[in-house]
Amino acid sequence: MATKKPFTRHDVLFSSGDSSCAAWLYLPTGVTSPPVVILGHGLGATRDMRLDAFAERFAKAGIAAFAFTYRHFGDSGGQPRQLLSIKRQLADWDAAISWVKTRGGIDGTRIAVWGSSFGGGHAITVASRHPELRAAVAQCPFTDGLASALALGPTATLKAFPVVARDLAAKIRGTAPAMIPLAGTPGSLALMNAPDALPGYQAIVPAGTTFRNEVAARVIPSLVTYRPGRAAKKIAFPILFCVSNTDTVTPPAQTLRYARTAPRGEIKTYDAGHFDFYLGEPFEDLVRDQIEFLTRQFDSAPATSAPGRIASQRR
């Protein structure tokens, strides 16, 4: 007799702004009206770059999971391609929450958001704007653009200026964007050029993916000024920060400073790099901790007032 699958996966296309986002909805088998966690990825990444692995584990634990790809990337809509707009990506999060709330078969009153890397920064911003949510998870989150730019180095930042200028001119002319690599080798022109950046991206790109290692350069000024960590203090419900002790992209010291301002924040640190979080033992540690956290929040009654901050925990 065939073993029943622990979950089913459904292809979804939901409207956002002037286009649409492609997503997967994972529904746990045999669970009536399960809670749901919405997953968004990092800088230029698509949902098939290991968001499915996290979503599968959540579904096996009885939590529905909704993993989506931002507009302008992968198999989602939006023109021009490879355009990273913080405003549009945050609107995609809002649209995903709206879709989940009205979808039958899941509990629209028990929703959490989960973001990794740049998506982790978005998760902080989104959580601060949606008090009706039950919980949030920010994994190796991008919390401060200036801190990340300083980690990249002033020389690398100066190298990007001519490409930014060309792309802004292309925007005015209505021509194809001027691109900059998302990840590159040390010393190369890229948004991330730490030693582990390019191999880290390559390790999570599946065969036949729609992922492109480039983005329209016009995003750089907005990246430097985006500081989602500042919104942590506005989040009244529980949020889990999963922080890499050796993060080369999102400096951990700054992330921890912001995380400690969250009224009901929980912090877990890991001796694994920014790009190690998606595979192997670090992935197992993270997903186990996240399932425990989400299950605890979904099973508890919503708080009417925010108690004191939970002490940080160290792994």
Side-chain angles (χ1 to χ4, degrees):
M1 190 167 123
T3 305
K4 198 169 186 180
K5 287 187 66 176
F7 61 85
T8 56
R9 191 179 87 176
H10 306 266
D11 292 327
V12 172
L13 196 67
F14 65 93
S15 297
S16 181
D18 58 359
S19 189
S20 58
C21 293
W24 290 318
L25 175 64
Y26 293 75
L27 293 175
T29 302
V31 181
T32 302
S33 196
V36 60
V37 57
I38 301 170
L39 295 88
H41 218 318
L43 203 67
T46 53
R47 69 188 186 282
D48 52 356
M49 295 167 66
R50 295 292 290 174
L51 287 198
D52 49 350
F54 284 92
E56 287 178 8
R57 291 297 187 88
F58 295 148
K60 287 179 181 178
I63 301 169
F66 189 66
F68 73 96
T69 298
Y70 301 108
R71 281 178 290 169
H72 304 280
F73 293 92
D75 56 350
S76 289
Q79 292 293 334
R81 305 307 296 166
Q82 303 303 112
L83 175 67
L84 200 165
S85 163
I86 293 171
K87 182 178 180 181
R88 287 178 177 233
Q89 291 197 348
L90 291 173
D92 293 344
W93 277 98
D94 291 340
I97 292 171
S98 295
W99 188 92
V100 162
K101 284 180 178 178
T102 57
R103 204 274 183 187
I106 53 181
D107 187 346
T109 68
R110 291 190 295 162
I111 302 173
V113 291
W114 179 106
S116 188
S117 193
F118 199 62
H122 287 336
I124 297 169
T125 301
V126 171
S128 74
R129 296 178 178 180
H130 285 271
E132 76 278 13
L133 300 177
R134 292 289 286 271
V137 176
Q139 176 175 291
C140 55
F142 175 101
T143 55
D144 192 297
L146 182 58
S148 291
L150 292 173
L152 185 63
T155 302
T157 304
L158 288 171
K159 278 183 182 178
F161 283 169
V163 189
V164 174
R166 290 201 304 273
D167 191 37
L168 290 174
K171 180 182 179 182
I172 293 169
R173 293 193 302 264
T175 56
M179 299 290 182
I180 186 170
L182 289 159
T185 56
S188 67
L189 179 61
L191 293 184
M192 297 174 286
N193 62 10
D196 60 337
L198 185 58
Y201 254 102
Q202 291 171 335
I204 61 173
V205 177
T209 184
T210 52
F211 172 72
R212 289 164 54 184
N213 184 24
E214 61 182 6
V215 68
R218 70 193 68 168
V219 71
I220 291 176
S222 61
L223 288 180
V224 175
T225 57
Y226 187 40
R227 307 177 86 176
R230 289 181 168 185
K233 62 181 178 291
K234 302 176 185 177
I235 303 170
F237 53 77
I239 177 170
L240 173 65
F241 295 88
C242 298
V243 183
S244 160
N245 289 325
T246 57
D247 203 313
T248 58
V249 177
T250 58
Q254 185 68 293
T255 296
L256 290 169
R257 279 193 286 271
Y258 284 128
R260 292 184 185 113
T261 69
R264 301 183 68 194
E266 298 185 27
I267 300 168
K268 284 187 176 290
T269 59
Y270 302 82
D271 292 325
H274 185 92
F275 297 96
D276 295 329
F277 275 16
Y278 305 97
L279 299 163
E281 187 176 339
F283 165 77
E284 297 294 339
D285 290 340
L286 282 153
V287 78
R288 181 173 57 249
D289 290 343
Q290 292 167 7
I291 288 171
E292 187 280 328
F293 170 80
L294 289 171
T295 301
R296 182 159 34 93
Q297 307 314 326
F298 285 138
D299 287 349
S300 64
T304 54
S305 60
R309 184 180 62 82
I310 297 173
S312 300
Q313 302 176 51
R314 191 170 190 85
R315 182 180 256 347

